[in-house]
Amino acid sequence: MKKKQKKYNQKFKIFGRKKGRKSVHNISTETFNKYLINSKTDLISKKIILDIGSGSGESTLFLSRKHPNDLIIASEIYQDGNTNLSQELYRSEINNVKIFNKNVLILFDEFKLHNLIKEIWILFPDPWPKKKHSKRRLINSSFVKKVFYLLEENGKIYIATDNSSYFISILKTFYLSELFKWDNDLPDKW
């Protein structure tokens, strides 16, 4: 079955902080820019593992060591986290990680990622627990439809949350989409 990507109308509005309260000047702009994603050179011939909301990069570093032959894209809008990650990448001489420092939805729309993504990791996304803020959640029906067309066949999405209302919302969103097969469908496997 050949998948065709559709355009979905989802706003790219960012909620929350993009920059920390303290400034970080420990890394040169040249070093930081070395790790920013370049669509012309970085997305060629490698399978991609996407780490959405990578924070300071602990999960990204783990994935880069576990999958040295894949391109790991750390998508994080928080500047201090990206700076910390690029410092650690430079120190550890890791070359299979690129940083996307904008909203991940922009990455989906601007880059040709159709069938290139092998795995997507979303660890503890902002839960937006208030009912009036739930529309700000990353994982919704539009997001699920978008990633379905970007994942390679048998691609996987790993999601972890510690917020019970968001957990139920995620389960419901994937269940209603009917696009994905839920591997660990019993609570004892969660």
Side-chain angles (χ1 to χ4, degrees), residues 76-88:
E76 176 62 61
I77 61 166
Y78 191 59
Q79 292 174 4
D80 292 357
N82 288 329
T83 302
N84 292 338
L85 175 58
S86 57
Q87 285 175 331
E88 189 56 41

Side-chain angles (χ1 to χ4, degrees), residues 12-145:
F12 297 139
K13 192 166 184 175
I14 303 293
F15 299 95
R17 292 183 307 168
K18 293 180 217 165
K19 189 171 192 285
R21 292 186 177 97
K22 60 181 180 181
S23 61
V24 180
H25 300 288
N26 302 2
I27 190 165
S28 71
T29 305
E30 181 182 318
T31 304
F32 179 74
N33 289 339
K34 173 186 172 188
Y35 294 105
L36 288 177
I37 192 166
N38 180 336
S39 64
K40 293 180 177 123
T41 58
D42 295 331
L43 302 177
I44 300 171
S45 75
K46 281 193 174 184
K47 289 298 180 180
I48 296 170
I49 297 174
L50 183 57
D51 187 9
I52 299 176
S54 57
S56 293
E58 296 89 352
S59 58
T60 304
L61 294 169
F62 167 78
L63 290 169
S64 70
R65 291 179 181 115
K66 185 177 177 185
H67 303 280
N69 297 324
D70 294 327
L71 174 64
I72 314 300
I73 299 177
S75 176
E76 176 62 61
I77 61 166
Y78 191 59
Q79 292 174 4
D80 292 357
N82 288 329
T83 302
N84 292 338
L85 175 58
S86 57
Q87 285 175 331
E88 189 56 41
L89 292 171
Y90 181 75
R91 263 188 250 127
S92 302
E93 298 178 358
I94 296 173
N95 294 316
N96 67 331
V97 174
K98 292 296 178 177
I99 297 172
F100 186 74
N101 61 348
K102 299 176 187 167
N103 188 328
V104 73
L105 299 173
I106 295 170
L107 176 73
F108 293 162
D109 281 354
E110 285 186 7
F111 296 101
K112 305 284 187 247
L113 298 176
H114 182 69
N115 286 332
L116 283 179
I117 299 178
K118 177 175 148 180
E119 295 177 2
I120 297 176
W121 288 69
I122 308 170
L123 303 179
F124 304 98
D126 290 337
W128 298 104
K130 291 183 180 175
K131 191 170 185 165
K132 67 181 179 179
H133 292 155
S134 64
K135 63 184 173 279
R136 298 179 179 181
R137 291 177 171 170
L138 173 67
I139 302 169
N140 56 37
S141 60
S142 177
F143 177 82
V144 169
K145 289 174 188 172

